[in-house]
Amino acid sequence: MKQRIERSIVYVAEVKGKVVGFANYSTVRDGGKVELAAIYLYPEFQGKGIGTALLQQAVKELKGLKEIYINVEKDNKIGMNFYEAKGFEIVKESDIEFDGHILKQVGMVKKV
């Protein structure tokens, strides 16, 4: 987490003074592209608009932002549904080797 904070952009979500999740973005790259590395929320705080607010904060604050990219595990139905509902579109599918296992990933993009 310390490296994420030092090398990228992190937005933290709090409810009643308690950290309940975060979103981690790259800096804005050539052409206004940003990678969303992760949105994590405690399960009991999912479905309450917090993930949406973490996306909206980046759109509001990241100067020059034109596209947000993310890779999602294909079997992550909650994540896939969330990003599709927010206007992300599938642009590629790939198999990634991770720790001796093959992960099926979907690359998605949202134009801002």
Side-chain angles (χ1 to χ4, degrees):
M1 191 63 178
K2 183 179 177 185
Q3 287 181 348
R4 285 182 193 249
I5 292 169
E6 291 172 352
R7 298 181 182 161
S8 61
I9 298 161
V10 178
Y11 295 105
V12 176
E14 293 183 33
V15 173
K16 296 181 181 176
K18 176 184 174 186
V19 173
V20 299
F22 71 92
N24 180 207
Y25 294 87
S26 71
T27 57
V28 179
R29 299 180 180 145
D30 289 342
K33 297 177 182 179
V34 167
E35 181 179 356
L36 172 55
I39 290 183
Y40 292 114
L41 295 172
Y42 285 119
E44 62 268 28
F45 291 95
Q46 294 175 0
K48 300 182 183 305
I50 297 169
T52 301
L54 290 167
L55 277 173
Q56 290 171 339
Q57 194 67 28
V59 170
K60 179 180 169 184
E61 290 187 8
L62 297 179
K63 302 296 182 221
L65 175 63
K66 294 181 182 172
E67 296 178 331
I68 302 172
Y69 286 85
I70 188 163
N71 289 309
V72 183
E73 287 187 47
K74 191 171 185 176
D75 291 337
N76 179 353
K77 299 301 180 195
I78 293 171
M80 292 287 297
N81 290 336
F82 172 80
Y83 293 113
E84 287 176 345
K86 303 306 169 211
F88 283 78
E89 296 179 356
I90 295 172
V91 292
K92 68 176 181 173
E93 293 189 26
S94 57
D95 292 341
I96 305 294
E97 190 274 328
F98 180 76
D99 199 26
H101 301 281
I102 300 296
L103 300 177
K104 300 210 175 276
Q105 286 195 333
V106 175
M108 303 179 84
V109 66
K110 175 181 175 67
K111 296 190 186 300
V112 179

